[in-house]
Amino acid sequence: MARKTVGVLSLQGGVEEHIAMAQECGWNSVRVKVAGDLKGLNALILPGGESTTMNLLSRQRGLLNALKSAIKKGMPVFGTCAGAILLAKKVGKRKGLIGEMDLAVERNAHGRQAESFETDLEIKGVGKFHCIFIRAPVIREVGKNVEVLAGFGGKPALVRQGRMLAAAFHPELGEDRRLHKFFLGKVAQGF
Amino acid sequence: MVKVEKGTFAVKTGLAKMLKGGVIMDVVTAEHARIAEKAGACAVMALERVPADIRKEGGVARMADPKKIKEIMKAVSIPVMAKARIGHFVEAQVLEALGVDFIDESEVLTPADPKYHIDKWKFKVPFVCGCTNLGEALRRVKEGAAMIRTKGEAGTGNVIEAVRHMRMVNEEIAALQKMNATQLKGKAIEYRVPLDLLLKTRKLKRLPVVNFAAGGIATPADAALMMQLGCDGVFVGSGIFKSANPAKRARAIVEATTHFNDAKVIAKFSEGLGDAMKGKDIAELKERLQDRGW
């Protein structure tokens, strides 16, 4: 069987870490910078970085619409930190950029870098996992069709809705590939 | 109770990694900061004067007024960095107390210590430090820097020194690949860094922390040049707010940094930007800022 390919949105942010981790999971991983790069992908990862920067860069040459339409049509997607913000329906009082996940998030809700932290969380289906939160968003509310897979401080930290997965933390920082394996495994099985 | 750790090296380098592929812009007012954020900057550097003005006006350059830094922090949602003088650990303590997201221990300000850089392990806030070569970069990492930037020559709008330093780091890392165990030990002594750190760099074939380019980047093509040479992102100092149309130029540099391999995109965004900062030949300079720090 041909190796499956995951695309990592490569406008800005922690791209290399996801590329490397997906490869270590036995997948091809490629960078997505323009709409044409979405062709032939089996899954998509939206990395961490600055959501304001990605927001602006995605509005060039039809990339944003191509992303939205691919995800709407069922392309499996995993958003981490800024990537989760892009997926959320509501960001603060505004509409999220892609807006396909029934989440209300707040950017930098823990505070500035001084409040960034690492901790161990229990993830449903994965087990105990070391999580790094960098100027992280908080997922304030989730819709009925959203499953909470891990929480921190009484708020969801990892959520799933159909073929979409969103983490407030950075599973790509560090050596533990289990969460990537979990996502890519679900993609391989067809969820 | 869940154990939560803050200010660890993983948390410091984690923020640096999230800045990759981005442009960090020097700003001196809240208004500048808003323009930078709107143009797609991944962070801003709050300072009293941009390097070109520090050069022109002379005198001792110090940490910015906390009032100004607070105004800038309030104005934008992206990370805010600020500069402390080399070795001035109290300026760094003040910046940490203000809650800035990153401290730049910078040669652009007048050094405060003739011998020592700041012991960055003592801080919870991450630091970025300048380098002109591999040894200098690794000494800063040894002292706890979570991010490196090649120094270039700030305030000149002239990219040649940024290129020189980036190439130097690349060549010195490439040279490590060919060395035997004895030579590597000798190199670690020459660089005044632990052998482990040198071996790690050799294995990674790159600096062990995020490395941005800085000092002289003034155009979208300059930014893309540095990206093609292998840096992780760019700092633009005087290049934006000393140009004719800062908002448009800032936006263009952001696009060129992302699409650094796509000359058509760089061409499109380079069009009609108005005058770039005037710039200086390195030979005209009275003092080279890159020589500060060791």
Side-chain angles (χ1 to χ4, degrees):
Chain A
M1 208 176 80
R3 290 220 304 180
K4 290 188 181 290
T5 303
V6 58
V8 182
L9 185 67
S10 303
L11 298 174
Q12 190 271 324
V15 174
E16 296 308 316
E17 292 75 11
H18 280 297
I19 293 265
M21 214 162 247
Q23 277 168 1
E24 287 160 11
C25 292
W27 279 59
N28 288 324
S29 48
V30 298
R31 289 167 184 75
V32 173
K33 284 193 181 184
V34 295
D37 296 336
L38 290 167
K39 235 171 91 179
L41 297 183
N42 303 100
L44 190 64
I45 292 176
L46 308 177
E50 274 311 311
S51 59
T52 54
T53 304
M54 289 191 231
N55 190 322
L56 201 70
L57 286 161
S58 69
R59 289 170 193 275
Q60 291 291 322
R61 294 175 294 161
L63 176 60
L64 177 59
N65 285 336
L67 284 170
K68 272 188 191 168
S69 123
I71 293 167
K72 259 199 179 119
K73 282 183 195 151
M75 165 93 78
V77 60
F78 184 13
T80 60
C81 196
I85 295 170
L86 300 183
L87 284 172
K89 193 182 263 176
K90 263 182 85 182
V91 181
K93 284 174 187 156
R94 294 190 177 177
K95 252 184 79 195
L97 191 72
I98 293 172
E100 286 299 310
M101 279 187 94
D102 200 359
L103 313 172
V105 304
E106 192 187 326
R107 292 178 60 214
N108 307 333
H110 296 279
R112 308 193 72 94
Q113 172 64 9
E115 303 305 322
S116 293
F117 61 96
E118 45 184 318
T119 191
D120 288 327
L121 299 182
E122 190 64 35
I123 296 178
K124 215 184 273 180
V126 175
K128 193 169 140 183
F129 196 89
H130 193 67
C131 302
I132 301 182
F133 291 76
I134 307 288
R135 289 173 45 98
V138 163
I139 301 171
R140 293 268 183 231
E141 290 164 39
V142 300
K144 274 191 238 129
N145 42 358
V146 175
E147 185 187 5
V148 177
L149 300 176
F152 175 81
K155 294 286 172 198
L158 178 70
V159 293
R160 180 186 154 190
Q161 178 182 348
R163 294 160 178 260
M164 298 179 286
L165 196 63
F169 56 93
H170 293 281
E172 76 281 13
L173 298 176
E175 311 285 319
D176 194 341
R177 295 169 210 146
R178 284 177 300 155
L179 197 47
H180 283 73
K181 275 201 174 136
F182 172 81
F183 170 65
L184 296 172
K186 291 261 182 218
V187 176
Q189 292 164 24
F191 281 83
Chain B
M1 189 61 201
V2 199
K3 195 179 162 212
V4 171
E5 287 186 284
K6 296 179 183 175
T8 59
F9 198 58
V11 164
K12 291 173 173 179
T13 53
L15 178 56
K17 285 173 184 169
M18 294 312 133
L19 299 172
K20 287 193 298 182
V23 183
I24 301 169
M25 303 181 190
D26 277 2
V27 298
V28 301
T29 63
E31 183 51 28
H32 278 181
R34 277 189 283 267
I35 292 170
E37 182 176 50
K38 225 175 143 199
C42 68
V44 291
M45 175 76 71
L47 70 177
E48 195 79 44
R49 294 174 284 170
V50 294
D53 289 333
I54 292 175
R55 231 176 233 302
K56 204 162 78 191
E57 290 159 24
V60 173
R62 310 178 178 93
M63 171 188 82
D65 183 336
K67 183 166 176 265
K68 184 167 276 179
I69 295 169
K70 276 157 70 181
E71 283 167 6
I72 290 168
M73 285 165 57
K74 223 174 138 189
V76 293
S77 67
I78 55 179
V80 174
M81 301 184 163
K83 287 181 192 288
R85 283 180 266 177
I86 289 174
H88 205 315
F89 51 85
V90 175
E91 282 188 351
Q93 289 164 6
V94 171
L95 294 174
E96 183 171 57
L98 289 173
V100 302
D101 298 290
F102 234 104
I103 295 176
D104 183 3
E105 186 182 20
S106 178
E107 71 284 359
V108 167
L109 306 185
T110 310
D113 191 310
K115 199 167 168 196
Y116 297 106
H117 281 250
I118 296 170
D119 178 0
K120 293 163 275 284
W121 294 114
K122 286 191 175 156
F123 291 79
K124 299 253 180 201
V125 59
F127 280 77
V128 54
C129 290
C131 80
T132 58
N133 56 48
L134 179 58
E136 197 176 4
L138 295 183
R139 285 193 290 282
R140 299 296 86 81
V141 175
K142 177 185 77 175
E143 293 157 1
M147 178 175 173
I148 291 293
R149 55 175 174 77
T150 46
K151 284 178 182 169
E153 190 57 41
T156 61
N158 188 341
V159 81
I160 185 171
E161 298 302 299
V163 171
R164 187 194 309 281
H165 300 154
M166 194 65 217
R167 283 199 186 280
M168 177 65 88
V169 170
N170 289 343
E171 282 164 17
E172 287 174 323
I173 292 172
L176 296 180
Q177 310 302 326
K178 296 186 192 121
M179 291 181 194
N180 64 30
T182 314
Q183 289 167 322
L184 287 164
K185 265 187 208 159
K187 230 1 152 193
I189 293 166
E190 180 194 323
Y191 287 167
R192 289 174 277 137
V193 298
L195 182 59
D196 283 358
L197 187 56
L198 196 74
L199 294 178
K200 189 177 174 192
T201 306
R202 181 178 189 246
K203 190 171 164 214
L204 292 170
K205 298 193 167 101
R206 56 154 296 145
L207 288 179
V209 297
V210 166
N211 179 31
F212 271 43
I217 295 162
T219 69
D222 286 350
L225 172 68
M226 299 316 300
M227 292 299 287
Q228 285 197 28
L229 286 173
C231 69
D232 295 316
V234 298
F235 282 90
V236 185
S238 321
I240 289 170
F241 290 100
K242 286 288 167 190
S243 74
N245 189 340
K248 199 170 173 193
R249 182 167 294 268
R251 180 82 180 85
I253 292 176
V254 168
E255 288 286 343
T257 302
T258 291
H259 299 287
F260 64 89
N261 268 329
D262 190 336
K264 282 187 183 155
V265 172
I266 302 168
K268 184 186 144 199
F269 279 94
S270 300
E271 230 175 79
L273 293 182
D275 289 338
M277 71 178 283
K278 183 158 174 283
K280 272 192 175 344
D281 197 279
I282 305 299
E284 292 170 33
L285 302 179
K286 276 190 295 208
E287 189 194 7
R288 297 196 322 167
L289 302 178
Q290 61 182 274
D291 298 330
R292 296 168 165 181
W294 35 88

